[in-house]
Each structure stands twice: as C-alpha cells, then as structure tokens.
Amino acid sequence: MKLLSQSFEKDKSGSTTLVPQDKEDLWQLYNLIQKGDEIKLPTHRNVKKVTSGGGSGGKDKGKADRKLLTLKMSVEDIEYTPSDEVMRIRGRTVEPNEYVPIQSYHTAEVQFDKKFTLIKPDWDEISYGIIVSACSIEEKAEVGAVIMEEGVAHLCLVTDNMTVLRNKIEKSIPRKRRGEGGGGNHDKAMEKFLNMVSSTMLRNFDLTKLKAIILASPGFTANALYQNTINQAIQEENKLVIQNKSKFMVVHSSTGYLQGLEEILKDPSIQKQLSNTKFAREGAIFEEFQRVLNNDDDRAWYGPSEATKAVELGAIKYFMITDTLFRSDDIAVRKHYIKLTEEVKRQGGEVLIFSSLHESGEQLDQLTGVAVLLNYPVADLDEDEEE
C-alpha cells in the first residue's frame, strides 16, 4: 500500500490518501474502513443525459451516459470477497456534484493502483496501527528468506503477495581441490561467505516480528548457514537468535536465485508449514488457554464481561481477541475493545489479535471473539454483579 498523504493524529479526526496495490492491502482496508467514515474515490456511474425530444408534446428524454466521477460518500456498508479480490463501499454522497445529487446512494469499488482518500472521525490505535503496518514492507512482511548457493545469496522479505529483494551478496569461492583439508582455500572462503550472509541477515531481518525465516539452497549450503548462525549466536550469547531458533526453516531449492524461492513458496507442503509457523504463537497460546479452561482452575475465561472484569482487576497474562471485533459496525463496541487492549498493554499483559481467516481465530470467534488467560486464579468472573 502506498501512503500518498496523511493529515491526522492518533485519537483525533483526519484523513489519509492511499493507493492499494494487492489483495493483502484490501484485507487491511477491510479492517480499517468503518461505517460512519467518509471516502473520496473515482467511480463510474450512469448519468442521465437530457436531450431535446421530438415526440408528442415535445417532452425531453433522458439517455443514460456512463461517466467516471470522483464522489465523496459516507460509508454505510463494506463488502469484501477475498477470493474475488473485490471490495465494494456503499453509502450516500456528502458533497454536491453536477451529475449526482447530494445524499444519493452509490456503490463504488476500491481498485488496485487507484488512489482514494479516507476521512475518519477518530483515528484510534488500531486504525493507526493498520496504516503503519500496511504501508511499510518491514511491518507487512511475516517471512524472511535467504535463497543461496555457494558464493551468492539473496535476502528477501516476503508478504502474502510479493517478494522484495533487500540484499544480494556475492563472493568468489575457489573450487575445492582433491585432497584439500579443512584449512583449504575453499573452506576458508566459504566460512567468510557464510559469516557475511549471517551478519547481513541478522541486520536486515527483525527476528521478533518475522514469523518464519526460510533458508534455501541446492545441496547443503542453507544448512551450513543455519549451523553457522546458531554457532555464532551461542558463542556470542546472542539471546535474540537463540530464542527465535524455532523460526528457521531449512529447505531444498533447485537454484540459489529468486526463481528457486518462487518454486518453494508454491509448494503446498511448504505453504502449510509456513502457515503453521506464522500462526504458531497464537495457536500455542490458544491451546494453553483451552487446556487451562478444561482444568477449570479459574485462570481461563472467555466472554465480553468476563474479559472486562479481568482487565479491571489487572490480572491479565494473555488477552486474546479476533480482528472481527475491531471491524464491528458498533463504534462503541470497537472503542471498548481498543480501550481494553491499551489497558492490558499498560498493565504489562500481552495482547494477541487473532485473524478470523485462520483456524485458531475461527475457534476464538466461536467463543465470543475474546478470551483471557490470567496470571492467577480468579473465581466467579462469570457471575452477574447483581447476583
């Protein structure tokens, strides 16, 4: 997503002009645009063209003419179909136009590579965060990848719809001579090459934000890079790398160039592995929540009132919520949950926003969309205060 202009502050009204570039941007916009917002965008509309009539009575006749207009509308409904990559906005016009009367209903499509302006009465933390993540490749990327072979490595950031090359490393590696021992020129050059790739990777990849890191090559080069990275981390006591060790995936590719990465990302088994890795933390915490809930020891609760009471007590370890609740047409509901998540963060708890497009998010949606895992047992959170 391209950010062309921004004129707003957090928790205040204002506008931004954006250009969606892929289907991932549409998903972000679906979470961003709310009922009651205003949107200004190019759209086609059939406009009646008045012509002189020649029939009985000499009355004028209207002829429909399709025109490209720029309309400003108040949003009343948003339709989004991920499979068709289409998002439609329905609302009433709020600015006069020579062809369209004010307060006329119209449905417009948000289109790729076409700019539009979004005006919100309140840019809350969630809306602000969507703009930041959608317009930054570093924030948007969930997967890092190093596709390599002896002497060449390509470091990429991967989103659901694009691969961005961040660095290319090339180093001349002499051929290994017959009978050459561990101290030969080939092995020394390879060690320098792997050190260079490893240090560049750690400078460019944010291990805390990325959900997975693919290391791919023909032969054993990718595995050598993995071993080099882990061994250096142990020697240097690099806790960040050691803590994120499970995010690394070593896979085989037919080539060390970018077409090899394209082949890997199309492999169904790799796609499944990536999906599980990307959502591994949310899934693991949700499994822990289910296990504690089954044990019935008063540390796991779900439901709006139960979650609210737990936040008020300051007892939250994990606050789990689906993105569905942040898309609620009821602005009061949306604001309520934003306030809760901000309070949990202030208290030192962790907020996890589950995607409703993933299995764990679907399961959480079935449990009202919000659940909490507490630091200590609290009884009777589900009882009415009046009772």
Side-chain angles (χ1 to χ4, degrees):
M1 187 118 65
K2 284 184 182 176
L3 176 65
L4 299 185
S5 67
Q6 176 180 319
S7 179
F8 66 83
E9 295 178 31
K10 185 173 169 289
D11 295 327
K12 293 183 179 179
S13 63
S15 65
T16 184
T17 301
L18 304 164
V19 180
Q21 296 173 297
D22 53 52
K23 66 179 181 181
E24 189 176 334
D25 290 342
L26 291 186
W27 171 248
Q28 296 278 23
L29 292 174
Y30 180 55
N31 286 283
L32 176 67
I33 301 171
Q34 301 288 320
K35 184 178 178 180
D37 293 347
E38 292 181 353
I39 190 167
K40 190 172 186 176
L41 75 174
T43 180
H44 285 90
R45 183 171 172 116
N46 290 329
V47 177
K48 282 191 176 180
K49 186 178 180 182
V50 178
T51 59
S52 295
S56 66
K59 291 180 180 178
D60 288 349
K61 295 179 181 179
K63 183 182 177 183
D65 195 9
R66 191 163 177 79
K67 286 188 175 290
L68 177 63
L69 309 171
T70 297
L71 297 181
K72 186 176 181 182
M73 308 186 319
S74 176
V75 177
E76 292 193 6
D77 189 41
I78 306 110
E79 290 180 18
Y80 172 57
T81 310
S83 57
D84 296 337
E85 299 183 14
V86 172
M87 188 168 74
R88 296 183 180 89
I89 308 289
R90 185 172 183 268
R92 288 177 182 261
T93 57
V94 294
E95 268 186 357
N97 184 288
E98 64 175 303
Y99 297 106
V100 183
I102 198 166
Q103 291 296 302
S104 297
Y105 274 109
H106 184 76
T107 300
E109 284 190 7
V110 175
Q111 299 179 335
F112 294 145
D113 301 318
K114 297 288 177 65
K115 72 176 183 179
F116 72 91
T117 299
L118 178 66
I119 304 103
K120 293 180 84 66
D122 180 12
W123 283 90
D124 55 48
E125 184 183 11
I126 298 297
S127 298
Y128 185 80
I130 289 172
I131 292 291
V132 171
S133 63
C135 297
S136 164
I137 186 64
E138 284 80 6
E139 293 286 340
K140 205 172 183 182
E142 292 192 316
V143 177
V146 180
I147 181 88
M148 64 189 302
E149 53 190 56
E150 286 194 3
V152 63
H154 303 82
L155 280 70
C156 307
L157 289 174
V158 183
T159 74
D160 286 348
N161 300 292
M162 71 178 91
T163 299
V164 178
L165 178 66
R166 297 312 302 256
N167 288 88
K168 182 179 180 181
I169 297 170
E170 291 181 287
K171 182 173 175 58
S172 178
I173 307 290
R175 289 188 177 183
K176 196 166 188 174
R177 296 175 183 174
R178 186 178 296 175
E180 194 172 57
N185 291 333
H186 172 275
D187 290 354
K188 287 179 180 177
M190 272 300 295
E191 186 177 357
K192 286 183 180 179
F193 170 65
L194 293 174
N195 287 340
M196 193 185 306
V197 176
S198 179
S199 60
T200 306
M201 174 179 67
L202 296 180
R203 278 200 312 271
N204 284 271
F205 290 176
D206 189 338
L207 299 190
T208 57
K209 290 182 179 177
L210 292 174
K211 303 292 179 69
I213 299 102
I214 298 173
L215 307 179
S217 74
F220 302 100
T221 313
N223 191 61
L225 174 64
Y226 172 75
Q227 293 298 336
N228 176 282
T229 303
I230 299 303
N231 290 341
Q232 278 196 25
I234 292 170
Q235 289 173 13
E236 298 168 4
E237 296 183 355
N238 187 330
K239 292 181 181 179
L240 180 64
V241 174
I242 295 167
Q243 287 169 355
N244 290 281
K245 181 181 174 181
S246 61
K247 292 183 179 181
F248 288 89
M249 294 169 52
V250 178
V251 300
H252 179 269
S253 64
S254 61
T255 172
Y257 290 82
L258 292 181
Q259 58 265 37
L261 180 57
E262 290 174 18
E263 292 168 12
I264 290 166
L265 295 175
K266 289 176 184 175
D267 186 327
S269 63
I270 299 295
Q271 287 178 352
K272 185 176 180 182
Q273 196 176 345
L274 270 178
S275 178
N276 291 338
T277 305
K278 283 159 65 177
F279 294 102
R281 179 162 174 75
E282 289 90 339
I285 290 173
F286 190 68
E287 282 181 15
E288 182 185 351
F289 163 78
Q290 290 175 311
R291 187 170 61 252
V292 174
L293 186 66
N294 290 332
N295 291 339
D296 196 23
D297 68 355
D298 294 332
R299 286 194 304 116
W301 296 93
Y302 64 88
S305 62
E306 290 84 348
T308 302
K309 290 177 187 175
V311 173
E312 289 170 353
L313 290 169
I316 303 288
K317 181 179 181 182
Y318 297 120
F319 186 93
M320 294 161 278
I321 185 168
T322 64
D323 51 20
T324 309
L325 291 173
F326 291 127
R327 291 198 308 272
S328 174
D329 285 342
D330 189 331
I331 294 174
V333 169
R334 180 180 165 90
K335 283 183 176 293
H336 170 70
Y337 285 112
I338 289 169
K339 187 177 178 181
L340 286 185
T341 57
E342 288 177 340
E343 179 59 21
V344 170
K345 291 175 184 176
R346 191 190 66 77
Q347 293 172 0
E350 184 175 349
V351 174
L352 296 104
I353 300 175
F354 285 63
S355 170
S356 55
L357 296 182
H358 194 259
E359 183 183 352
S360 55
E362 289 179 4
Q363 291 177 328
L364 183 55
D365 258 338
Q366 291 169 7
L367 295 177
T368 72
V370 60
V372 294
L373 196 57
L374 308 183
N375 286 310
Y376 50 84
V378 178
D380 305 327
L381 276 181
D382 56 346
E383 286 192 3
D384 239 348
E385 287 182 1
E386 290 180 4
E387 292 177 8

Coordinates of all heavy atoms in Angstrom, one line a residue, residues 218-247:
P218 N 20.3 -25.3 -3.2 CA 20.6 -26.7 -3.6 C 21.7 -27.2 -2.7 O 22.5 -26.5 -2.1 CB 21.2 -26.5 -5.0 CG 20.9 -25.1 -5.4 CD 20.8 -24.3 -4.1
G219 N 21.8 -28.5 -2.5 CA 22.9 -29.1 -1.7 C 22.7 -28.7 -0.2 O 21.6 -28.6 0.3
F220 N 23.9 -28.5 0.5 CA 23.9 -28.3 1.9 C 24.3 -26.9 2.4 O 24.5 -26.6 3.5 CB 24.9 -29.3 2.5 CG 24.6 -30.7 2.2 CD1 25.3 -31.4 1.2 CD2 23.6 -31.4 2.9 CE1 25.0 -32.7 1.0 CE2 23.4 -32.7 2.7 CZ 24.0 -33.4 1.7
T221 N 24.3 -25.9 1.4 CA 24.7 -24.5 1.7 C 23.8 -23.9 2.8 O 24.2 -23.2 3.7 CB 24.8 -23.7 0.5 OG1 25.5 -24.4 -0.5 CG2 25.5 -22.4 0.8
A222 N 22.5 -24.1 2.6 CA 21.5 -23.4 3.5 C 21.7 -24.0 4.9 O 21.6 -23.3 5.9 CB 20.1 -23.7 3.0
N223 N 21.9 -25.3 5.0 CA 22.1 -26.0 6.3 C 23.4 -25.4 7.0 O 23.4 -25.2 8.2 CB 22.1 -27.5 6.2 CG 22.1 -28.2 7.5 OD1 21.1 -28.1 8.3 ND2 23.2 -28.9 7.8
A224 N 24.4 -25.2 6.1 CA 25.7 -24.7 6.7 C 25.4 -23.3 7.2 O 26.0 -22.9 8.2 CB 26.7 -24.7 5.6
L225 N 24.6 -22.5 6.5 CA 24.3 -21.1 7.0 C 23.6 -21.2 8.4 O 23.9 -20.4 9.3 CB 23.4 -20.4 6.0 CG 22.9 -19.0 6.5 CD1 24.1 -18.0 6.7 CD2 22.0 -18.4 5.4
Y226 N 22.6 -22.1 8.5 CA 21.9 -22.3 9.7 C 22.8 -22.6 10.9 O 22.8 -22.0 11.9 CB 20.8 -23.3 9.6 CG 20.1 -23.7 10.9 CD1 19.2 -22.8 11.4 CD2 20.4 -24.9 11.5 CE1 18.5 -23.2 12.6 CE2 19.8 -25.2 12.7 CZ 18.9 -24.3 13.3 OH 18.2 -24.7 14.4
Q227 N 23.7 -23.6 10.6 CA 24.7 -24.0 11.7 C 25.6 -22.9 12.0 O 25.9 -22.7 13.2 CB 25.5 -25.3 11.2 CG 24.6 -26.5 11.0 CD 24.0 -27.0 12.3 OE1 24.5 -26.7 13.4 NE2 22.9 -27.7 12.2
N228 N 26.1 -22.2 11.0 CA 27.0 -21.0 11.3 C 26.3 -20.0 12.1 O 26.9 -19.4 13.1 CB 27.4 -20.4 9.9 CG 28.2 -19.2 10.1 OD1 27.7 -18.1 10.3 ND2 29.5 -19.3 9.8
T229 N 25.0 -19.7 11.8 CA 24.2 -18.6 12.6 C 24.0 -19.0 14.0 O 24.2 -18.2 14.9 CB 22.9 -18.4 11.9 OG1 23.1 -18.0 10.5 CG2 22.1 -17.3 12.6
I230 N 23.6 -20.3 14.2 CA 23.4 -20.8 15.6 C 24.6 -20.9 16.4 O 24.7 -20.5 17.6 CB 22.6 -22.1 15.5 CG1 21.3 -22.0 14.8 CG2 22.4 -22.7 17.0 CD1 20.3 -21.0 15.4
N231 N 25.7 -21.4 15.8 CA 27.0 -21.5 16.5 C 27.5 -20.1 16.9 O 28.0 -20.0 18.0 CB 28.0 -22.2 15.6 CG 27.7 -23.7 15.4 OD1 26.9 -24.3 16.2 ND2 28.3 -24.3 14.4
Q232 N 27.4 -19.1 16.0 CA 27.9 -17.8 16.4 C 27.0 -17.2 17.5 O 27.5 -16.5 18.4 CB 27.8 -16.9 15.1 CG 29.0 -17.0 14.2 CD 29.0 -15.8 13.2 OE1 28.5 -14.7 13.5 NE2 29.7 -16.0 12.1
A233 N 25.7 -17.5 17.4 CA 24.8 -17.0 18.5 C 25.2 -17.6 19.9 O 25.2 -16.8 20.9 CB 23.4 -17.3 18.1
I234 N 25.5 -18.8 19.9 CA 25.9 -19.5 21.1 C 27.2 -18.9 21.7 O 27.3 -18.6 22.8 CB 26.0 -21.0 20.9 CG1 24.6 -21.6 20.6 CG2 26.7 -21.7 22.2 CD1 24.7 -23.1 20.2
Q235 N 28.2 -18.7 20.7 CA 29.5 -18.2 21.1 C 29.4 -16.7 21.7 O 30.0 -16.4 22.6 CB 30.5 -18.2 20.0 CG 30.9 -19.6 19.6 CD 31.7 -19.6 18.3 OE1 32.1 -18.5 17.8 NE2 32.0 -20.7 17.7
E236 N 28.5 -16.0 21.0 CA 28.3 -14.5 21.4 C 27.2 -14.3 22.4 O 27.0 -13.2 22.8 CB 28.1 -13.7 20.1 CG 29.2 -13.8 19.1 CD 28.8 -13.2 17.7 OE1 27.6 -12.7 17.7 OE2 29.6 -13.2 16.8
E237 N 26.6 -15.4 22.8 CA 25.5 -15.4 23.8 C 24.4 -14.4 23.3 O 23.9 -13.6 24.0 CB 26.0 -14.9 25.2 CG 26.9 -15.9 25.8 CD 27.3 -15.6 27.2 OE1 26.9 -14.5 27.7 OE2 28.0 -16.4 27.9
N238 N 24.1 -14.6 22.0 CA 23.0 -13.8 21.4 C 21.7 -14.4 21.7 O 21.2 -15.3 21.0 CB 23.3 -13.7 19.8 CG 22.3 -12.7 19.1 OD1 21.2 -12.5 19.6 ND2 22.8 -12.2 18.0
K239 N 21.0 -13.9 22.7 CA 19.8 -14.5 23.2 C 18.6 -14.3 22.2 O 17.8 -15.2 22.1 CB 19.4 -13.8 24.5 CG 20.3 -14.2 25.7 CD 19.8 -13.6 27.0 CE 20.7 -13.9 28.1 NZ 20.3 -13.3 29.4
L240 N 18.7 -13.2 21.4 CA 17.6 -13.0 20.4 C 17.6 -14.1 19.4 O 16.5 -14.6 19.1 CB 17.8 -11.7 19.7 CG 16.8 -11.3 18.6 CD1 15.4 -11.1 19.3 CD2 17.2 -10.0 17.9
V241 N 18.7 -14.5 18.8 CA 18.8 -15.6 17.9 C 18.4 -16.9 18.5 O 17.6 -17.7 17.9 CB 20.2 -15.7 17.2 CG1 20.3 -16.9 16.3 CG2 20.5 -14.4 16.4
I242 N 18.9 -17.2 19.7 CA 18.6 -18.5 20.3 C 17.2 -18.6 20.7 O 16.6 -19.7 20.5 CB 19.5 -18.6 21.6 CG1 21.0 -18.6 21.2 CG2 19.1 -19.8 22.4 CD1 22.0 -18.5 22.4
Q243 N 16.5 -17.5 21.1 CA 15.1 -17.6 21.5 C 14.2 -17.8 20.2 O 13.1 -18.3 20.3 CB 14.7 -16.3 22.2 CG 15.2 -16.2 23.6 CD 15.0 -14.8 24.2 OE1 14.6 -13.8 23.5 NE2 15.4 -14.6 25.5
N244 N 14.7 -17.3 19.1 CA 13.9 -17.4 17.8 C 14.4 -18.6 16.9 O 14.1 -18.6 15.7 CB 13.9 -16.1 17.1 CG 13.1 -15.0 17.8 OD1 11.9 -15.0 17.7 ND2 13.8 -14.2 18.5
K245 N 15.2 -19.5 17.5 CA 15.8 -20.6 16.7 C 14.7 -21.4 16.0 O 14.9 -21.8 14.8 CB 16.5 -21.5 17.7 CG 17.2 -22.7 17.1 CD 17.9 -23.5 18.2 CE 18.5 -24.8 17.6 NZ 19.2 -25.5 18.7
S246 N 13.5 -21.6 16.6 CA 12.5 -22.4 16.0 C 11.9 -21.8 14.8 O 11.1 -22.5 14.0 CB 11.4 -22.7 17.0 OG 10.8 -21.4 17.4
K247 N 12.1 -20.5 14.5 CA 11.5 -19.8 13.3 C 12.3 -20.2 12.0 O 11.7 -20.0 10.9 CB 11.5 -18.3 13.5 CG 10.6 -17.8 14.6 CD 10.6 -16.3 14.7 CE 9.7 -15.8 15.8 NZ 9.7 -14.3 15.9

